[in-house]
Every structure is written in C-alpha cells, then in structure tokens.
Amino acid sequence: MQRCEPEVTFRHVGLQRRKRQQFPEQITAVGFSRWKRPFIEAFLQGSEVAFVNKPDSHRAKTIPGTVSVWGSSEPPQIHETSTVLRIEDGFLRSSGLGADLVRPLSLVIDDVGIYYDATRPSRLEHILQNQALDTLATERAQALRERLIQLDLTKYNLGKQSWSRPETDQLVLLVVGQVESDASIRLGSPDVKSNLELLRRVRKEHPSAYIAYKPHPDVVAGLRKKGQGEEACYKIADVVLTQPVALSSLIGQVDEVHTMTSLLGFGALIRGAKVICHGLPFYAGWGLTIDRLSCPRRTRKLTLNELVHGALIDYPRYYNFERQCFVEPEQAVEQLAALANTGPQSRSLRRKALRLAVIGWLRVTRSTK
C-alpha cells in the first residue's frame, strides 16, 4: 500500500464509480468462451453478468434487457427495446497474443456498433465526429501519444528486433498483412479483401519500389490460418518480415505504410508515418490518412491528438488485474511497458508455470510423508 495525495484518491474513487455505473445492473453475456468469462466479468464490474451459451436459433427465447456479445457476433433473439453491447480487445491490449489466450488490459464496450465495422456507426466514430476537447484534454492526449512513442508500445508488444532500411534510392513501402478471416476485413475493406490482393495492388502502383511485407503475428505464430494464396506474397515483396521487429525501428525507415484496416496503421500514424488506407479502419476518413475509400459519416478533420484522445482515452476501459480496479490509460501504459520488458506472455508459459508448481507441490507432499 502506498500513500498518495487526497486529490489522487478522489480521482481514483471517481473513476471506479463512473465505470461501475456506466452500464445497467443486469447484463446477459451470450456466447463467451470459458477463458474469456473471468476478465469480461472484471471489465463489467458494477453489473451482474449472467453468462449463457449461444442458443440454437430455432429454440432461442427472446432475451430482454441488455445483452453483450463478442465483436461483431450476431446477438440471439432479443427484445425490441434491448441494448446490445459489443465487446472487443482494446488498442493497447497485452504483452502477447490474444489468440494465445493472454488476457487483455483493455477492452472496448460499444453500445452503438463496433469500431471495425465501417458499414454502420460505432461509439468510437460518434466520439470522433462530435468530441470537443479543451486545452487540458488536448495536452493529455499529446502526452499519452509521446509516452507511447517513447516506450514503443503497440497492441501486442511483441517486437524487439531492429530492421535496417536497404541501401537503395527506391521508394521503401511497408505492406501490412492481416488475418483474412477477421471481421475487420469483411466489414471494413469492401474492395481489397486479401493480403495477396493488397500486395498486388501496391506493386502495380509502385512497380519500382522496394516492398517490405509484414504478415500478421497470429499467422506467423501459427495460431491463425494464412490467407488464400499468401505464399505468392514472397514473390511480390522484396522482403517478408516474419521476425518480431520493433515498430519504432520499422516505421521510421519506410516512406509509406499500406494497409487494409490493420491497427498497425494507427500505430504508424501516431508515429508520424504516411499511411495509405485501402479499406476503412476507424482512423481513416478524418484527414490524417490517404484514403482510397470514403465514409460519408466522417465529415470532420481531426488532429492526431484528437484521434488519440478518442481512441485511447474516451473509448476503451482499462483494468489492472493485480489491483483489481479500473485504471486510467496512463497507468495502463506504464503497466504494459513493465510487462513488455519481461517478454511476451503466452498460454504455453502459463502451462509450464502451472506444471512446475504442481511438480513442486508433489515433491513437498512426498517429502513430508
């Protein structure tokens, strides 16, 4: 326990109160896997959460009240007055991959849509379209952005290795691969829907450029399937970056970043890179990126600080599992940096630790007999 000023205590208590009162008292959470349920319950503190398996459509009963689902999943039959909360990983998530069952430090809980579904509005889009920041809020967003750059934090914080720009006069482009089965491509990239298609388009537009292709880390780790025909990417790109390269090492040495909807584009954007969006991610359409598509709903021109405030301060919620409380994004960033310094967490590491603990317990038990 640490001593702190009364103002800090008041802010902390106020944060807990706001987060706990944000949603209704009763929430029905539908279709969540068992490993997700403990952290979903933690992030929904203040509400009584009833977990149910996703019912068969022909047997489904109408569910009243507030219903939560993961991502863009279709909710079961609900009452016409019900509210749907869509839950998804936050943009500063963890040190390790979600597909490897590493629990998140941040989630977004959206009562309008979900941030990667460009076919309709989301709470994040509403925030970015309507927010009016004062000087203090702008300065806070700038300080948070500068801290992220200083600590070189990303969503999963896997990159540690460096990368050197080739000695060439060619334009150096980074093309970002994604998991092609993800809803973010289906709902946010109507024109280009595969990594191979994206690479072919970039190569056609820049036939003499030096292209570095970065596959998605889940695909590299073997946790998600490769895209259709993705092996051909090796023939189109000049280099394929399968090693965990630090974002700071990568972004500062390329001339452009090309993406469909990848969150890496957001990380590159806040680091000052030129980002070309071939889809409609949440950070496109605000005058900060070069967009191949348009979204008529997004009519404002934002600054980087306004984008950061909406995406990293207003939209997500952050939770400290050690202290069992909600925290501000600045506190989550410091915790994430500490975790990143210890190396990526993974399901295999946790299993190994559990196995060693059991072995140790058995040895102690036997020695006392």
Side-chain angles (χ1 to χ4, degrees):
M1 184 177 295
Q2 295 179 342
R3 298 183 62 181
C4 61
E5 296 297 324
E7 293 81 3
V8 176
T9 302
F10 296 151
R11 286 198 298 269
H12 177 77
V13 173
L15 175 67
Q16 307 312 307
R17 184 179 179 86
R18 290 194 305 275
K19 296 300 183 184
R20 292 174 68 89
Q21 292 182 341
Q22 185 174 354
F23 300 116
E25 293 182 0
Q26 304 285 333
I27 296 176
T28 303
V30 181
F32 287 89
S33 62
R34 291 192 178 276
W35 92 271
K36 285 181 180 176
R37 293 183 182 186
F39 70 75
I40 293 294
E41 201 165 24
F43 276 91
L44 289 175
Q45 274 189 45
S47 302
E48 183 178 337
V49 183
F51 290 98
V52 298
N53 294 326
K54 192 168 185 178
D56 296 332
S57 58
H58 66 285
R59 296 180 179 177
K61 297 180 179 179
T62 300
I63 300 178
T66 301
V67 176
S68 65
V69 296
W70 185 260
S72 59
S73 301
E74 286 302 317
Q77 296 182 27
I78 58 177
H79 195 271
E80 59 182 7
T81 61
S82 296
T83 298
V84 177
L85 302 177
R86 297 188 180 277
I87 303 177
E88 187 56 86
D89 287 332
F91 306 135
L92 297 171
R93 187 194 185 281
S94 56
S95 176
L97 297 169
D100 206 20
L101 306 188
V102 178
R103 66 186 180 186
L105 276 70
S106 70
L107 291 179
V108 300
I109 304 176
D110 199 313
D111 62 341
V112 178
I114 194 66
Y115 69 88
Y116 53 75
D117 184 356
T119 66
R120 57 179 173 174
S122 69
R123 175 58 59 185
L124 175 56
E125 186 177 274
H126 177 80
I127 291 170
L128 295 175
Q129 180 70 25
N130 296 285
Q131 68 179 350
L133 302 183
D134 58 20
T135 302
L136 287 177
T138 302
E139 291 176 350
R140 181 186 182 189
Q142 181 173 340
L144 181 62
R145 180 166 65 90
E146 291 173 351
R147 188 62 173 154
L148 288 174
I149 296 171
Q150 180 186 20
L151 296 172
D152 198 23
L153 293 181
T154 59
K155 182 176 182 178
Y156 298 119
N157 298 290
L158 298 172
K160 295 292 183 182
Q161 299 183 24
S162 60
W163 183 77
S164 298
R165 180 186 175 99
E167 295 183 2
T168 177
D169 294 330
Q170 298 168 279
L171 198 67
V172 178
L173 311 179
L174 174 65
V175 176
V176 185
Q178 296 180 237
V179 178
E180 291 182 5
S181 59
D182 275 0
S184 63
I185 295 180
R186 175 170 52 86
L187 300 172
S189 188
D191 287 354
V192 181
K193 294 184 175 294
S194 73
N195 298 318
L196 181 58
E197 189 178 355
L198 176 63
L199 258 176
R200 283 173 172 167
R201 173 186 279 200
V202 175
R203 175 56 77 192
K204 183 177 181 180
E205 294 175 352
H206 304 278
S208 60
Y210 184 96
I211 297 179
Y213 173 62
K214 188 179 189 305
H216 192 279
D218 278 346
V219 174
V220 174
L223 300 172
R224 303 290 293 274
K225 290 183 179 180
K226 291 182 179 180
Q228 186 173 5
E230 193 162 345
E231 295 79 7
C233 294
Y234 285 79
K235 298 179 181 179
I236 300 173
D238 295 280
V239 63
V240 178
L241 304 174
T242 56
Q243 67 272 30
V245 177
L247 192 58
S248 60
S249 171
L250 192 57
I251 296 305
Q253 301 189 76
V254 300
D255 298 302
E256 296 177 1
V257 176
H258 287 255
T259 180
M260 288 178 280
T261 62
S262 173
L263 188 60
L264 191 148
F266 175 61
L269 186 64
I270 65 176
R271 287 164 172 80
K274 181 180 180 180
V275 179
I276 292 84
C277 296
H278 297 259
L280 277 171
F282 71 87
Y283 51 86
W286 308 108
L288 297 169
T289 53
I290 298 174
D291 303 324
R292 299 299 169 80
L293 301 173
S294 63
C295 181
R297 298 186 307 270
R298 303 174 188 179
T299 60
R300 290 187 67 191
K301 299 298 182 183
L302 299 179
T303 65
L304 271 178
N305 290 332
E306 288 173 329
L307 178 66
V308 167
H309 199 285
L312 298 181
I313 297 176
D314 285 337
Y315 189 47
R317 49 176 51 197
Y318 300 88
Y319 191 80
N320 187 312
F321 286 95
E322 293 180 0
R323 299 182 180 180
Q324 297 185 355
C325 63
F326 295 105
V327 294
E328 298 285 6
E330 292 84 356
Q331 296 169 295
V333 162
E334 299 304 322
Q335 182 186 6
L336 198 55
L339 289 172
N341 287 334
T342 64
Q345 308 300 304
S346 71
R347 173 176 51 184
S348 58
L349 289 176
R350 292 201 303 275
R351 284 180 173 174
K352 182 178 180 181
L354 179 61
R355 185 169 63 252
L356 291 174
V358 171
I359 292 173
W361 177 82
L362 288 173
R363 286 175 178 172
V364 171
T365 303
R366 289 168 181 168
S367 65
T368 57
K369 288 182 178 180

